[in-house]
Amino acid sequence: MAEILKIRWNTDVEQEFFNVTNSVGKKGVNGKNDVFLVQAMLRELPDNKRGGLSRRDCPLATGTFDKKTENVIRKYQGCHKREKIARDCLINHARSQFVPGTKRPWTIIQLNADLMEYYMIAGVGGSLTENYQAYLLDKYPELSVMLLS
């Protein structure tokens, strides 16, 4: 089941992120709600954040893990060399901003950050977090149910 993770950046700022409860990807648990969340998030990224894949190369958000979803996760991770996210074709449950003992963000955290940046640049009003989260919840109403379950 998908969930919201709260991360405290400093003593004054806490931010919410979409999170998976179990791994999504090749050899992942691939729970329907987690896969749906990842598919929706990947689908809404600009092409350059998906490793050059176009939106039509992304699977529809169905909650079913397939080769198309695997390919998009692989391409997404491959285009984030600077951020040093894992390139293991897995999107794991984040427990904090960084993988313990590293300065490498969890893939799901980077995915949230990329969506947040995209909607900030696109000029959607309101706070940064509310922009991409509200947009996804509006476009994919199933997510609201998943997050409340």
Side-chain angles (χ1 to χ4, degrees), residues 37-50:
L37 173 66
V38 168
Q39 288 171 328
M41 291 176 82
L42 287 168
R43 191 162 172 81
E44 298 308 316
L45 287 172
D47 295 351
N48 69 316
K49 293 290 186 177
R50 271 192 242 107

Side-chain angles (χ1 to χ4, degrees), residues 3-147:
E3 65 180 27
I4 297 287
L5 170 69
K6 292 183 180 182
I7 294 177
R8 184 169 297 283
W9 296 105
N10 58 43
T11 56
D12 299 329
V13 179
E14 183 173 79
Q15 195 163 5
E16 294 183 345
F17 292 90
F18 289 122
N19 197 6
V20 293
T21 51
N22 290 298
S23 58
V24 172
K26 190 173 182 177
K27 299 182 182 179
V29 174
N30 295 319
K32 185 175 178 106
N33 292 349
D34 290 332
V35 173
F36 187 96
L37 173 66
V38 168
Q39 288 171 328
M41 291 176 82
L42 287 168
R43 191 162 172 81
E44 298 308 316
L45 287 172
D47 295 351
N48 69 316
K49 293 290 186 177
R50 271 192 242 107
L53 292 177
S54 73
R55 192 165 198 265
R56 71 176 168 272
D57 294 323
C58 290
L60 295 173
T62 61
T64 302
F65 185 79
D66 56 13
K67 279 288 191 193
K68 213 172 189 181
T69 305
E70 179 183 336
N71 188 44
V72 176
I73 291 171
R74 193 175 304 285
K75 288 284 197 175
Y76 175 77
Q77 288 180 327
C79 78
H80 282 80
K81 292 179 178 120
R82 188 186 79 208
E83 294 85 359
K84 298 181 180 169
I85 63 173
R87 295 195 319 219
D88 54 4
C89 197
L90 275 174
I91 297 179
N92 291 303
H93 170 79
R95 293 161 193 84
S96 59
Q97 181 182 5
F98 298 111
V99 175
T102 74
K103 286 292 184 186
R104 181 172 51 90
W106 293 95
T107 300
I108 191 72
I109 298 299
Q110 186 63 50
L111 189 50
N112 277 271
D114 286 343
L115 281 168
M116 195 182 309
E117 176 186 7
Y118 175 62
Y119 287 99
M120 179 182 74
I121 291 169
V124 181
S127 77
L128 298 182
T129 303
E130 290 170 5
N131 287 335
Y132 82 96
Q133 288 179 346
Y135 176 81
L136 281 174
L137 292 170
D138 186 52
K139 186 157 185 180
Y140 303 94
E142 303 94 321
L143 280 176
S144 293
V145 175
M146 293 174 193
L147 293 167

